[in-house]
Amino acid sequence: MPQQQDSPRRSDAQRNRERILDVALVELSRCADAPLSMIAKKAGVGQGTFYRNFPNRESLVLEIYRHEMQQVAASATQLLETRPPDRALRAWMDRLAEFAMTKAGLADAIRQATCTPGGPEKPPPTPLMRAAGLLLRAGQDAGTIRPGFTADDFILAIAGLWQLDPRDDWEPRAARLLDLVMAGLRTGPAGA
């Protein structure tokens, strides 16, 4: 019986954690110095719950970054289940652009969290590299993506995303950049 009593607590704790992350993403993207007490209040959790999940600002900021990166990486598999590989790759590129703009909004908070002496390091983009590799291989196996492109090549090709200003009208510029990259990756004539 104790198992049944623990499950609702664990799911409540998970929902609390997710609400904190959702609110913190919005608030810290707006202002890197957003008070943690405000984030807790908007998430509908008490200070104790908040600090049990995130003992300090740095742990919160890095968990948002990790969480968002994992979400984007996981979407690659989901997209491959519902679309042809080349279309899954292009849709994933849009998710990656959204992530880049979110990351840009959080840039100050991430910089503050990772630049303190003895502070934590920013997590490497490994999940994104794996997801890009998965999508490229699927497209290459299907014959829609040119052979020989690697995840490293892909990340270098889309690096312009990180130069866009999230406060501007970034979506059309990102779409043009990603369409250009996609045209270079596809086999056959341009626009095919």
Side-chain angles (χ1 to χ4, degrees):
M1 267 333 239
Q3 279 301 71
Q4 290 175 331
Q5 289 176 342
D6 289 346
S7 293
R9 279 194 202 133
R10 278 190 229 137
S11 63
D12 283 349
Q14 185 60 36
R15 280 193 299 274
N16 286 340
R17 184 175 177 79
E18 288 170 9
R19 274 197 319 269
I20 293 168
L21 288 171
D22 289 343
V23 169
L25 172 63
V26 171
E27 296 304 321
L28 292 171
S29 293
R30 285 185 194 149
C31 174
D33 295 323
L36 298 181
S37 59
M38 179 192 64
I39 293 169
K41 185 176 180 180
K42 285 188 175 188
V45 300
Q47 295 292 319
T49 298
F50 182 90
Y51 285 106
R52 250 190 319 281
N53 282 283
F54 304 102
N56 54 45
R57 179 177 296 276
E58 292 81 13
S59 64
L60 174 63
V61 169
L62 292 178
E63 184 57 26
I64 292 168
Y65 180 72
R66 245 189 304 277
H67 179 73
E68 291 298 303
M69 190 174 7
Q70 288 290 9
Q71 296 293 94
V72 173
S75 71
T77 303
Q78 296 160 353
L79 289 166
L80 279 172
E81 292 171 357
T82 60
R83 300 170 191 213
D86 59 328
R87 294 204 174 140
L89 175 60
R90 183 59 186 85
W92 187 75
M93 291 164 80
D94 288 334
R95 286 284 318 264
L96 191 58
E98 290 173 27
F99 171 70
M101 293 303 99
T102 298
K103 181 180 174 273
L106 280 173
D108 288 339
I110 292 169
R111 200 170 12 265
Q112 287 174 11
T114 58
C115 290
T116 57
E121 291 185 22
K122 186 166 106 177
T126 306
L128 297 179
M129 295 291 275
R130 280 195 298 266
L134 173 73
L135 289 159
L136 289 169
R137 280 189 304 281
Q140 290 165 348
D141 292 347
T144 56
I145 300 296
R146 293 178 192 205
F149 281 101
T150 67
D152 286 332
D153 297 334
F154 175 79
I155 296 299
L156 284 173
I158 63 160
L161 284 176
W162 281 266
Q163 302 304 312
L164 299 176
D165 187 339
R167 296 169 301 225
D168 289 342
D169 190 19
W170 61 267
E171 283 125 333
R173 293 187 76 196
R176 285 192 305 273
L177 170 70
L178 297 176
D179 286 344
L180 180 64
V181 170
M182 195 67 205
L185 290 170
R186 279 200 170 108
T187 57

